[in-house]
Amino acid sequence: MSSTATNKSPVFIDRPLYDAVRVTTQIVGSATNNTIFVQGGQVPSILVDMDATLSEDNNNGGVVDSVKIVRNDFYRAADYTVNAATSGTIVSFVSGQIANLTATGILTGSGAGSGVGYYTYTGSTTLTGVNTALHYSGGIAQGFTYNGTNYGAQPAVTFVLYHTRGTTNPVPASGDYRVVFAKTVPANTQEVDCSDVLPALAAPVMSAGNTTGLGSTAPLRNKGIYLERGDRLYVGVFADGPNISGYTPGAHVIAQGGFF
């Protein structure tokens, strides 16, 4: 489609769209007031800029049909669990592997330096032995570092997507924006796809997918966000619970689609 095209229904995208932004302390909303509207002084991040300054001559708008959220923090799962059920198992550690000690009373000696919790093996050589006879402590050549009982715990965090049109101000205080969706990454979940909360696309397009639950004449519709030239999408972290000041480890929000 040419740069001067108007009121045309696009059939194919002209070029692919891929945008990503890292969100950490860009908080939005108020848990106290039970609202996801942007509050005064809050500045969410720009996820997609569909030429809000109207400075490009090859942009007729586009569509975002995929949004994904990926946490930036990552924790290796425990390689071995030490408890009554696994007591007596022979294990073999190499540096960096993790043991989850859930009970200390099963150890044959005073091998739990810090008690119940997660331990990372830091020795330079392979450590092999019965899991209840090892010394889960630091300060020795073939020792462990203690990661605590809450190692790897990731709180639930909610991200909110907003839409603006005809402005370059980041979500204007006048309220000239719209909430597109809010998506929660559940606790201890590394990433989520947002296709379940994307709005359905009204324009008829070729599509394939699950028809379960549709009526006999109901159309199968793709999901996504049509963006006119001059539109923007913003995203922020809903300020609630442990995320009242943002999600410190950060998460990347990724949008894919195409330009017309």
Side-chain angles (χ1 to χ4, degrees), residues 108-146:
T108 57
S110 56
S114 299
V116 169
Y118 290 84
Y119 294 80
T120 299
Y121 178 59
T122 57
S124 58
T125 59
T126 300
L127 175 64
T128 302
V130 176
N131 62 353
T132 53
L134 299 180
H135 192 74
Y136 298 96
S137 182
I140 59 176
Q142 290 186 319
F144 293 77
T145 57
Y146 183 60

Side-chain angles (χ1 to χ4, degrees), residues 5-153:
T6 57
N7 297 323
K8 304 298 191 299
S9 179
V11 178
F12 301 107
I13 63 171
D14 178 62
R15 60 195 189 281
L17 177 155
Y18 179 95
D19 282 317
V21 64
R22 185 169 186 259
V23 183
T24 54
T25 58
Q26 295 82 2
I27 60 172
V28 293
S30 169
T32 301
N33 297 323
N34 300 310
T35 179
I36 57 176
F37 287 169
V38 181
Q39 306 297 292
Q42 295 179 343
V43 183
S45 296
I46 297 175
L47 175 59
V48 177
D49 183 356
M50 196 59 69
D51 190 21
T53 60
L54 303 179
S55 59
E56 301 175 6
D57 60 3
N58 63 343
N59 191 331
N60 285 279
V63 62
V64 172
D65 60 4
S66 172
V67 179
K68 187 175 184 179
I69 304 171
V70 184
R71 295 184 196 256
N72 295 155
D73 53 328
F74 180 83
Y75 302 90
R76 179 185 179 88
D79 297 282
Y80 299 105
T81 298
V82 186
N83 55 28
T86 64
S87 176
T89 302
I90 296 177
V91 295
S92 183
F93 283 97
V94 296
S95 184
Q97 287 190 305
I98 295 173
N100 179 16
L101 181 61
T102 63
T104 59
I106 59 174
L107 300 179
T108 57
S110 56
S114 299
V116 169
Y118 290 84
Y119 294 80
T120 299
Y121 178 59
T122 57
S124 58
T125 59
T126 300
L127 175 64
T128 302
V130 176
N131 62 353
T132 53
L134 299 180
H135 192 74
Y136 298 96
S137 182
I140 59 176
Q142 290 186 319
F144 293 77
T145 57
Y146 183 60
N147 301 318
T149 58
N150 205 36
Y151 165 81

Side-chain angles (χ1 to χ4, degrees), residues 142-169:
Q142 290 186 319
F144 293 77
T145 57
Y146 183 60
N147 301 318
T149 58
N150 205 36
Y151 165 81
Q154 297 171 311
V157 56
T158 298
F159 295 84
V160 190
L161 201 74
Y162 305 92
H163 169 264
T164 64
R165 173 164 293 165
T167 176
T168 57
N169 292 326

Side-chain angles (χ1 to χ4, degrees), residues 182-204:
K183 179 69 176 183
T184 298
V185 183
N188 302 319
T189 299
Q190 190 65 34
E191 59 186 54
V192 294
D193 179 83
C194 299
S195 58
D196 60 323
V197 290
L198 284 172
L201 295 177

